[in-house]
Amino acid sequence: MQGPEATGPFCQSCGMPLRQPEDYGTEADGLMAEDYCRFCFQSGMFTAPDLSMQGMIDRSPDIPDRSRIIPALKRWQEKKPAGR
Ligand SMILES: [Zn+2]
C-alpha cells in the first residue's frame, strides 16, 4: 500500500491523474508527453514556466493531498536549488 500515487500515472507537474490519451500534454514534435498533462505542458513547453512549486500547490485545489504529492513530482524534483 503506497497511497494514491500507486494508482496510476499522474502529471509530474500538477499531480492530475492521466487516464486518457487526451489528458496528456504534447512534445515539441506533437507526440504525447508521457509525464505531463495538457494543462501543464504543450508543444514541448510548460504552459507556466515561471510557476513555483508553491504556486502550483495553491492553484490545484482539486487534489486533496497536493501539498504532499506535488513536491514529490518530477518537475519540482529537478528544480531543487542545489547550492548554486
Ligand atoms: Zn499537469
Side-chain angles (χ1 to χ4, degrees):
M1 289 297 154
Q2 298 274 320
E5 296 95 326
T7 59
F10 287 80
C11 173
Q12 293 298 307
S13 170
C14 71
M16 182 181 109
L18 299 170
R19 295 205 175 95
Q20 311 175 69
E22 54 264 39
D23 290 339
Y24 289 80
T26 51
E27 299 286 2
D29 54 11
L31 294 177
M32 194 176 85
E34 293 187 0
D35 288 336
Y36 300 109
C37 77
R38 64 196 168 100
F39 300 110
C40 292
F41 199 76
Q42 292 182 356
S43 302
M45 294 183 296
F46 287 112
T47 57
D50 298 328
L51 189 67
S52 67
M53 183 175 76
Q54 187 60 51
M56 181 60 80
I57 291 169
D58 291 343
R59 88 202 297 241
S60 306
D62 295 345
I63 304 172
D65 287 334
R66 62 193 182 282
S67 60
R68 181 174 62 85
I69 291 171
I70 286 176
L73 298 174
K74 188 166 147 187
R75 178 176 178 182
W76 313 112
Q77 294 287 308
E78 288 174 354
K79 288 192 94 167
K80 253 184 213 162
R84 293 211 320 193

Coordinates of all heavy atoms in Angstrom, one line a residue:
M1 N 0.8 -1.2 0.0 CA 0.0 0.0 0.0 C 0.9 1.3 0.0 O 1.5 1.6 1.0 CB -0.9 0.0 1.2 CG -2.0 -1.1 1.2 SD -3.2 -0.8 -0.2 CE -3.7 -2.4 -0.5
Q2 N 0.9 1.9 -1.1 CA 1.7 3.1 -1.3 C 1.0 4.4 -1.2 O 1.6 5.5 -1.3 CB 2.4 3.0 -2.6 CG 3.3 1.8 -2.8 CD 4.7 2.1 -2.2 OE1 5.3 3.1 -2.4 NE2 5.3 1.1 -1.6
G3 N -0.3 4.3 -1.1 CA -1.1 5.6 -1.2 C -1.6 5.9 -2.6 O -1.4 5.0 -3.5
P4 N -2.2 7.0 -2.8 CA -2.8 7.3 -4.1 C -1.8 7.4 -5.3 O -2.2 7.1 -6.4 CB -3.5 8.7 -3.9 CG -2.8 9.2 -2.6 CD -2.4 8.1 -1.8
E5 N -0.6 7.6 -5.0 CA 0.4 7.7 -6.1 C 0.5 6.4 -6.9 O 0.9 6.4 -8.0 CB 1.8 8.1 -5.6 CG 1.9 9.4 -5.0 CD 1.7 9.4 -3.5 OE1 0.9 8.5 -3.0 OE2 2.3 10.1 -2.8
A6 N 0.2 5.3 -6.2 CA 0.4 4.0 -6.8 C -0.7 3.6 -7.7 O -0.6 2.6 -8.4 CB 0.5 2.9 -5.7
T7 N -1.8 4.4 -7.8 CA -2.9 4.0 -8.6 C -2.8 4.3 -10.1 O -3.6 3.8 -10.8 CB -4.2 4.7 -8.1 OG1 -4.0 6.1 -8.2 CG2 -4.5 4.3 -6.6
G8 N -1.8 5.0 -10.5 CA -1.7 5.2 -11.9 C -0.8 6.4 -12.2 O -0.3 7.0 -11.3
P9 N -0.6 6.6 -13.5 CA 0.3 7.8 -13.9 C -0.4 9.1 -13.5 O -1.6 9.3 -13.6 CB 0.4 7.7 -15.4 CG -0.7 6.8 -15.9 CD -1.1 6.0 -14.7
F10 N 0.4 10.0 -13.0 CA 0.0 11.3 -12.7 C 0.8 12.4 -13.4 O 2.0 12.1 -13.7 CB 0.1 11.6 -11.2 CG -0.8 10.9 -10.3 CD1 -0.6 9.6 -10.0 CD2 -2.0 11.5 -9.9 CE1 -1.6 8.9 -9.2 CE2 -2.9 10.9 -9.1 CZ -2.7 9.5 -8.8
C11 N 0.2 13.5 -13.7 CA 1.0 14.6 -14.3 C 2.2 14.9 -13.3 O 1.9 15.1 -12.1 CB 0.2 15.8 -14.5 SG 1.1 17.3 -15.0
Q12 N 3.4 14.9 -13.8 CA 4.6 15.2 -13.0 C 4.8 16.7 -12.7 O 5.8 17.1 -12.2 CB 5.8 14.5 -13.6 CG 5.7 13.0 -13.6 CD 5.6 12.4 -12.2 OE1 6.5 12.7 -11.4 NE2 4.6 11.6 -12.0
S13 N 3.8 17.5 -13.0 CA 3.8 18.9 -12.7 C 2.8 19.3 -11.7 O 3.0 19.9 -10.7 CB 3.7 19.7 -14.0 OG 3.5 21.1 -13.7
C14 N 1.5 18.8 -11.9 CA 0.4 19.2 -11.1 C -0.2 18.1 -10.3 O -1.0 18.3 -9.4 CB -0.7 19.9 -11.9 SG -1.6 18.9 -13.0
G15 N 0.1 16.9 -10.6 CA -0.4 15.7 -9.9 C -1.8 15.2 -10.4 O -2.4 14.3 -9.8
M16 N -2.2 15.8 -11.5 CA -3.5 15.3 -12.1 C -3.4 13.9 -12.6 O -2.4 13.6 -13.3 CB -3.9 16.3 -13.3 CG -5.2 15.9 -13.9 SD -5.6 17.1 -15.3 CE -5.4 15.9 -16.6
P17 N -4.4 13.1 -12.4 CA -4.3 11.7 -12.9 C -4.4 11.7 -14.4 O -5.1 12.5 -15.0 CB -5.6 11.0 -12.4 CG -6.0 11.9 -11.2 CD -5.6 13.3 -11.5
L18 N -3.5 10.9 -15.1 CA -3.5 10.8 -16.5 C -4.2 9.5 -16.9 O -3.6 8.5 -16.9 CB -2.1 10.9 -17.0 CG -1.3 12.2 -16.7 CD1 0.2 12.1 -17.0 CD2 -1.9 13.4 -17.4
R19 N -5.4 9.6 -17.3 CA -6.2 8.4 -17.6 C -6.4 8.1 -19.0 O -6.5 7.0 -19.5 CB -7.5 8.5 -16.8 CG -7.4 8.5 -15.3 CD -8.6 8.0 -14.6 NE -8.4 8.0 -13.2 CZ -8.8 9.0 -12.4 NH1 -9.3 10.0 -12.8 NH2 -8.5 8.8 -11.1
Q20 N -6.5 9.2 -19.8 CA -6.8 9.0 -21.2 C -5.8 9.7 -22.1 O -5.2 10.7 -21.6 CB -8.2 9.6 -21.5 CG -9.3 9.2 -20.6 CD -10.6 9.9 -20.8 OE1 -11.2 9.7 -21.8 NE2 -11.0 10.8 -20.0
P21 N -5.7 9.3 -23.3 CA -4.7 10.0 -24.2 C -4.8 11.5 -24.2 O -3.9 12.2 -24.2 CB -4.9 9.4 -25.6 CG -5.5 8.0 -25.2 CD -6.3 8.2 -24.0
E22 N -6.1 12.0 -24.2 CA -6.3 13.4 -24.3 C -5.9 14.2 -23.0 O -5.9 15.4 -23.0 CB -7.7 13.7 -24.8 CG -8.8 13.1 -23.9 CD -9.3 11.8 -24.5 OE1 -8.4 11.0 -25.0 OE2 -10.5 11.5 -24.4
D23 N -5.7 13.4 -22.0 CA -5.2 14.1 -20.7 C -3.8 14.5 -20.8 O -3.4 15.4 -20.0 CB -5.4 13.2 -19.5 CG -6.8 12.9 -19.2 OD1 -7.7 13.7 -19.6 OD2 -7.1 11.9 -18.5
Y24 N -3.0 13.9 -21.7 CA -1.6 14.2 -21.7 C -1.3 15.4 -22.5 O -2.0 15.8 -23.5 CB -0.9 13.0 -22.4 CG -0.9 11.7 -21.5 CD1 -2.0 10.9 -21.5 CD2 0.3 11.4 -20.8 CE1 -1.9 9.7 -20.7 CE2 0.3 10.2 -20.1 CZ -0.8 9.4 -20.0 OH -0.8 8.3 -19.2
G25 N -0.1 16.0 -22.2 CA 0.4 17.1 -23.0 C 1.1 16.7 -24.2 O 1.0 15.5 -24.6
T26 N 1.7 17.6 -24.9 CA 2.3 17.3 -26.2 C 3.8 17.7 -26.2 O 4.1 18.8 -25.6 CB 1.6 17.9 -27.4 OG1 1.5 19.3 -27.1 CG2 0.3 17.3 -27.6
E27 N 4.6 16.9 -26.8 CA 6.0 17.3 -27.0 C 6.1 18.3 -28.2 O 5.2 18.5 -28.9 CB 6.8 16.0 -27.3 CG 6.8 15.0 -26.2 CD 7.7 15.4 -25.0 OE1 8.2 16.5 -25.0 OE2 7.7 14.6 -24.1
A28 N 7.3 18.8 -28.4 CA 7.6 19.8 -29.4 C 7.2 19.2 -30.8 O 6.8 19.9 -31.7 CB 9.0 20.3 -29.4
D29 N 7.4 17.9 -31.0 CA 7.2 17.2 -32.2 C 5.7 16.7 -32.4 O 5.4 16.0 -33.3 CB 8.2 16.1 -32.5 CG 8.2 15.1 -31.3 OD1 7.3 15.2 -30.5 OD2 9.1 14.2 -31.3
G30 N 4.9 17.1 -31.4 CA 3.5 16.7 -31.5 C 3.2 15.4 -30.9 O 2.0 15.0 -30.8
L31 N 4.2 14.6 -30.4 CA 3.9 13.3 -29.8 C 3.4 13.6 -28.4 O 3.6 14.7 -27.8 CB 5.2 12.5 -29.7 CG 5.7 12.1 -31.1 CD1 7.0 11.3 -31.0 CD2 4.7 11.2 -31.9
M32 N 2.8 12.5 -27.8 CA 2.3 12.6 -26.4 C 3.4 12.8 -25.4 O 4.4 12.1 -25.5 CB 1.5 11.4 -26.2 CG 0.6 11.4 -25.0 SD -0.3 9.9 -24.8 CE 0.8 8.8 -24.0
A33 N 3.2 13.7 -24.5 CA 4.2 13.9 -23.4 C 3.8 12.9 -22.3 O 2.7 13.1 -21.7 CB 4.2 15.3 -22.9
E34 N 4.7 12.0 -22.0 CA 4.3 10.9 -21.1 C 4.2 11.4 -19.7 O 3.5 10.8 -18.9 CB 5.3 9.8 -21.2 CG 5.2 9.1 -22.6 CD 6.0 7.8 -22.6 OE1 6.7 7.5 -21.6 OE2 6.1 7.2 -23.7
D35 N 4.9 12.4 -19.3 CA 5.0 12.8 -17.9 C 4.0 13.9 -17.5 O 3.9 14.1 -16.3 CB 6.4 13.3 -17.6 CG 7.4 12.1 -17.6 OD1 6.9 10.9 -17.3 OD2 8.6 12.3 -17.8
Y36 N 3.4 14.6 -18.5 CA 2.7 15.8 -18.1 C 1.3 15.9 -18.7 O 1.1 15.4 -19.8 CB 3.5 17.1 -18.5 CG 4.9 17.1 -17.8 CD1 6.0 16.9 -18.5 CD2 5.0 17.3 -16.4 CE1 7.3 16.9 -17.9 CE2 6.2 17.4 -15.8 CZ 7.4 17.2 -16.6 OH 8.6 17.2 -16.0
C37 N 0.4 16.6 -18.1 CA -0.9 16.8 -18.6 C -1.0 17.9 -19.6 O -0.1 18.7 -19.7 CB -1.9 17.0 -17.5 SG -1.9 18.7 -16.8
R38 N -2.1 18.0 -20.3 CA -2.2 19.0 -21.3 C -2.4 20.4 -20.8 O -2.2 21.4 -21.5 CB -3.4 18.7 -22.2 CG -4.7 18.8 -21.5 CD -5.8 18.1 -22.3 NE -7.0 17.8 -21.6 CZ -8.1 18.6 -21.7 NH1 -8.1 19.6 -22.5 NH2 -9.2 18.4 -20.9
F39 N -2.7 20.5 -19.5 CA -2.8 21.9 -18.9 C -1.4 22.4 -18.5 O -1.2 23.6 -18.5 CB -3.7 21.8 -17.6 CG -5.0 21.3 -17.9 CD1 -5.5 20.1 -17.5 CD2 -5.9 22.1 -18.6 CE1 -6.7 19.6 -17.7 CE2 -7.2 21.7 -18.9 CZ -7.6 20.4 -18.4
C40 N -0.5 21.5 -18.3 CA 0.8 22.0 -17.8 C 1.8 22.0 -19.0 O 2.8 22.8 -18.9 CB 1.4 21.0 -16.8 SG 0.5 21.0 -15.2
F41 N 1.7 21.2 -20.0 CA 2.8 21.0 -20.9 C 2.2 20.9 -22.3 O 1.4 20.0 -22.7 CB 3.5 19.7 -20.5 CG 4.9 19.6 -21.1 CD1 5.9 20.3 -20.6 CD2 5.1 18.7 -22.2 CE1 7.2 20.1 -21.1 CE2 6.4 18.5 -22.7 CZ 7.4 19.2 -22.1
Q42 N 2.6 21.8 -23.2 CA 2.1 21.8 -24.6 C 3.2 22.1 -25.5 O 4.0 23.1 -25.3 CB 0.9 22.8 -24.8 CG -0.3 22.4 -24.0 CD -1.5 23.4 -24.2 OE1 -1.3 24.4 -24.9 NE2 -2.6 23.1 -23.6
S43 N 3.3 21.4 -26.6 CA 4.3 21.6 -27.6 C 5.7 21.7 -27.0 O 6.5 22.5 -27.4 CB 4.0 22.9 -28.4 OG 2.7 22.9 -29.0
G44 N 6.0 20.8 -26.1 CA 7.3 20.7 -25.5 C 7.7 21.7 -24.5 O 8.8 21.8 -24.1
M45 N 6.7 22.5 -24.1 CA 7.0 23.6 -23.1 C 6.0 23.6 -22.0 O 4.8 23.3 -22.2 CB 7.0 24.9 -23.7 CG 8.1 25.1 -24.7 SD 8.1 26.8 -25.4 CE 6.5 26.8 -26.2
F46 N 6.4 24.0 -20.8 CA 5.4 24.2 -19.7 C 4.6 25.4 -20.1 O 5.1 26.4 -20.5 CB 6.1 24.4 -18.4 CG 6.7 23.1 -17.8 CD1 8.1 23.0 -17.7 CD2 5.9 22.1 -17.4 CE1 8.6 21.8 -17.2 CE2 6.4 20.9 -16.9 CZ 7.8 20.8 -16.8
T47 N 3.3 25.3 -19.8 CA 2.4 26.5 -20.1 C 2.7 27.6 -19.1 O 2.4 28.7 -19.4 CB 0.9 26.0 -20.0 OG1 0.7 25.5 -18.7 CG2 0.6 25.0 -21.1
A48 N 3.2 27.3 -17.9 CA 3.5 28.3 -17.0 C 4.9 28.1 -16.4 O 5.1 27.6 -15.3 CB 2.5 28.3 -15.8
P49 N 5.9 28.4 -17.3 CA 7.3 28.1 -16.9 C 7.8 28.7 -15.6 O 8.7 28.2 -15.0 CB 8.1 28.5 -18.1 CG 7.3 29.4 -18.9 CD 5.8 29.1 -18.6
D50 N 7.2 29.9 -15.3 CA 7.7 30.6 -14.1 C 7.0 30.2 -12.8 O 7.3 30.8 -11.8 CB 7.5 32.1 -14.3 CG 8.4 32.6 -15.5 OD1 9.5 32.0 -15.8 OD2 8.0 33.5 -16.2
L51 N 6.0 29.3 -13.0 CA 5.3 28.9 -11.8 C 6.2 28.2 -10.8 O 7.0 27.4 -11.1 CB 4.1 28.0 -12.2 CG 3.1 27.6 -11.2 CD1 2.3 28.9 -10.8 CD2 2.2 26.6 -11.7
S52 N 6.0 28.6 -9.5 CA 6.8 28.0 -8.5 C 6.0 26.7 -8.0 O 4.9 26.6 -8.2 CB 7.0 28.9 -7.3 OG 5.8 29.2 -6.7
M53 N 6.8 25.9 -7.2 CA 6.1 24.8 -6.6 C 4.9 25.2 -5.7 O 3.9 24.6 -5.7 CB 7.1 23.9 -5.8 CG 6.5 22.7 -5.3 SD 7.7 21.6 -4.5 CE 8.0 22.5 -2.9
Q54 N 5.2 26.2 -4.9 CA 4.1 26.7 -4.0 C 2.9 27.3 -4.8 O 1.8 27.1 -4.5 CB 4.6 27.8 -3.1 CG 3.6 28.2 -2.0 CD 3.2 27.1 -1.1 OE1 4.0 26.3 -0.6 NE2 1.9 26.9 -1.0
G55 N 3.3 27.9 -6.0 CA 2.2 28.4 -6.8 C 1.4 27.3 -7.4 O 0.1 27.4 -7.5
M56 N 2.0 26.2 -7.7 CA 1.3 25.0 -8.2 C 0.4 24.4 -7.1 O -0.8 24.1 -7.4 CB 2.2 24.0 -8.7 CG 1.5 22.7 -9.3 SD 0.5 23.1 -10.7 CE 1.7 23.2 -12.0
I57 N 0.9 24.4 -5.9 CA 0.1 23.8 -4.8 C -1.1 24.7 -4.6 O -2.2 24.2 -4.5 CB 1.0 23.8 -3.5 CG1 2.0 22.7 -3.7 CG2 0.1 23.5 -2.3 CD1 3.1 22.7 -2.6
D58 N -0.9 26.0 -4.7 CA -2.1 27.0 -4.5 C -3.1 26.9 -5.6 O -4.3 27.2 -5.3 CB -1.5 28.4 -4.4 CG -0.7 28.6 -3.1 OD1 -0.8 27.8 -2.2 OD2 0.0 29.6 -3.1
R59 N -2.7 26.5 -6.8 CA -3.7 26.5 -7.9 C -4.3 25.2 -8.2 O -4.9 25.0 -9.2 CB -3.0 27.1 -9.1 CG -2.3 26.0 -10.0 CD -1.2 26.5 -10.9 NE -1.7 27.4 -11.9 CZ -1.6 27.2 -13.2 NH1 -1.0 26.1 -13.7 NH2 -2.0 28.0 -14.1
S60 N -4.0 24.2 -7.4 CA -4.5 22.8 -7.6 C -5.5 22.4 -6.5 O -5.3 21.4 -5.8 CB -3.4 21.8 -7.7 OG -2.5 22.2 -8.7
P61 N -6.6 23.1 -6.3 CA -7.5 22.8 -5.2 C -8.2 21.5 -5.3 O -8.8 21.0 -4.4 CB -8.5 24.0 -5.2 CG -8.5 24.5 -6.6 CD -7.1 24.2 -7.1
D62 N -8.2 20.9 -6.6 CA -9.0 19.7 -6.7 C -8.2 18.5 -6.2 O -8.8 17.4 -6.1 CB -9.2 19.4 -8.2 CG -10.1 20.5 -8.8 OD1 -10.7 21.2 -8.1 OD2 -10.1 20.5 -10.1
I63 N -7.0 18.6 -5.9 CA -6.2 17.5 -5.4 C -6.0 17.6 -3.9 O -5.3 18.4 -3.4 CB -4.8 17.5 -6.1 CG1 -5.0 17.5 -7.6 CG2 -4.0 16.3 -5.7 CD1 -3.7 17.8 -8.4
P64 N -6.7 16.7 -3.2 CA -6.7 16.8 -1.7 C -5.3 16.8 -1.1 O -5.1 17.5 -0.1 CB -7.5 15.6 -1.3 CG -8.2 15.1 -2.5 CD -7.4 15.5 -3.7
D65 N -4.4 15.9 -1.6 CA -3.1 15.8 -0.9 C -2.1 16.6 -1.6 O -0.9 16.2 -1.6 CB -2.7 14.3 -0.9 CG -3.6 13.5 0.1 OD1 -4.0 14.2 1.1 OD2 -3.7 12.3 0.0
R66 N -2.4 17.6 -2.3 CA -1.5 18.3 -3.2 C -0.2 18.8 -2.5 O 0.9 18.8 -3.0 CB -2.1 19.5 -3.9 CG -2.7 20.6 -3.0 CD -3.6 21.5 -3.7 NE -4.1 22.6 -2.9 CZ -5.1 22.5 -2.0 NH1 -5.6 21.3 -1.9 NH2 -5.4 23.5 -1.3
S67 N -0.4 19.2 -1.2 CA 0.8 19.7 -0.5 C 1.8 18.6 -0.2 O 3.0 18.9 0.0 CB 0.4 20.4 0.8 OG -0.3 19.5 1.6
R68 N 1.3 17.4 -0.3 CA 2.2 16.3 -0.1 C 2.7 15.7 -1.4 O 3.9 15.3 -1.6 CB 1.5 15.2 0.7 CG 2.4 14.0 1.0 CD 1.6 13.0 1.9 NE 0.4 12.5 1.3 CZ 0.4 11.4 0.5 NH1 1.5 10.8 0.2 NH2 -0.7 11.0 0.0
I69 N 1.8 15.6 -2.4 CA 2.1 15.0 -3.7 C 3.0 15.9 -4.5 O 4.0 15.4 -5.1 CB 0.8 14.6 -4.4 CG1 0.1 13.5 -3.7 CG2 1.1 14.2 -5.8 CD1 -1.3 13.3 -4.2
I70 N 2.6 17.1 -4.7 CA 3.3 18.0 -5.6 C 4.8 18.1 -5.4 O 5.6 18.0 -6.4 CB 2.6 19.4 -5.7 CG1 1.3 19.2 -6.4 CG2 3.5 20.4 -6.4 CD1 0.4 20.4 -6.5
P71 N 5.3 18.3 -4.2 CA 6.7 18.4 -4.0 C 7.5 17.1 -4.5 O 8.7 17.2 -4.7 CB 6.9 18.6 -2.5 CG 5.6 19.2 -2.1 CD 4.6 18.6 -2.9
A72 N 6.8 16.0 -4.6 CA 7.5 14.8 -4.9 C 7.5 14.5 -6.5 O 8.1 13.6 -7.0 CB 6.8 13.6 -4.3
L73 N 6.8 15.4 -7.2 CA 6.7 15.2 -8.7 C 8.0 15.6 -9.4 O 8.8 16.4 -8.9 CB 5.5 16.0 -9.2 CG 4.2 15.6 -8.6 CD1 3.1 16.6 -9.1 CD2 3.8 14.2 -9.0
K74 N 8.2 15.0 -10.5 CA 9.4 15.1 -11.3 C 9.8 16.6 -11.6 O 11.0 17.0 -11.5 CB 9.3 14.4 -12.6 CG 10.6 14.2 -13.4 CD 10.3 13.1 -14.4 CE 11.1 13.4 -15.7 NZ 10.7 12.4 -16.7
R75 N 8.8 17.4 -12.0 CA 9.1 18.8 -12.4 C 9.8 19.5 -11.2 O 10.7 20.3 -11.4 CB 7.8 19.5 -12.7 CG 8.1 21.0 -13.1 CD 6.8 21.6 -13.6 NE 7.1 23.0 -13.9 CZ 6.2 23.9 -14.3 NH1 4.9 23.5 -14.4 NH2 6.5 25.2 -14.5
W76 N 9.3 19.3 -10.0 CA 9.8 20.0 -8.9 C 11.1 19.4 -8.3 O 11.9 20.1 -7.7 CB 8.7 20.2 -7.9 CG 7.5 20.6 -8.5 CD1 6.3 19.9 -8.6 CD2 7.2 21.9 -9.2 NE1 5.4 20.6 -9.4 CE2 5.9 21.8 -9.7 CE3 8.0 23.0 -9.4 CZ2 5.3 22.8 -10.4 CZ3 7.4 24.0 -10.1 CH2 6.1 24.0 -10.6
Q77 N 11.3 18.1 -8.5 CA 12.5 17.5 -8.0 C 13.7 18.0 -8.8 O 14.7 18.3 -8.2 CB 12.4 16.0 -8.3 CG 11.3 15.2 -7.5 CD 11.8 15.1 -6.0 OE1 12.8 14.6 -5.7 NE2 10.9 15.6 -5.1
E78 N 13.5 18.2 -10.1 CA 14.6 18.7 -10.9 C 15.0 20.1 -10.7 O 16.1 20.5 -11.0 CB 14.2 18.5 -12.4 CG 14.2 17.0 -12.8 CD 13.7 16.8 -14.2 OE1 13.2 17.8 -14.8 OE2 13.7 15.7 -14.7
K79 N 14.1 20.9 -10.1 CA 14.3 22.3 -9.9 C 14.8 22.6 -8.5 O 14.9 23.7 -8.1 CB 13.0 23.1 -10.1 CG 12.7 23.1 -11.6 CD 11.7 24.2 -11.9 CE 12.3 25.5 -12.3 NZ 11.3 26.4 -12.8
K80 N 15.2 21.6 -7.8 CA 15.7 21.8 -6.4 C 16.9 22.7 -6.5 O 17.8 22.5 -7.2 CB 16.2 20.5 -5.8 CG 15.2 20.0 -4.7 CD 15.8 18.7 -4.1 CE 14.7 17.8 -3.7 NZ 15.2 16.4 -3.5
P81 N 16.9 23.8 -5.7 CA 18.1 24.6 -5.7 C 19.2 23.9 -5.0 O 19.2 23.6 -3.8 CB 17.6 25.8 -4.8 CG 16.4 25.4 -4.0 CD 15.8 24.2 -4.8
A82 N 20.2 23.5 -5.8 CA 21.3 22.7 -5.3 C 22.6 23.5 -5.1 O 23.6 23.3 -5.7 CB 21.6 21.5 -6.3
G83 N 22.5 24.5 -4.2 CA 23.6 25.2 -3.8 C 24.4 25.9 -4.9 O 25.6 25.8 -5.1
R84 N 23.6 26.7 -5.8 CA 24.3 27.4 -6.8 C 24.8 28.7 -6.3 O 24.1 29.4 -5.7 CB 23.3 27.7 -8.0 CG 23.0 26.4 -8.7 CD 22.7 26.7 -10.1 NE 21.9 27.9 -10.4 CZ 21.4 28.2 -11.5 NH1 21.5 27.4 -12.5 NH2 20.7 29.3 -11.7
Ligands
ZN1 ZN -0.4 18.9 -15.0

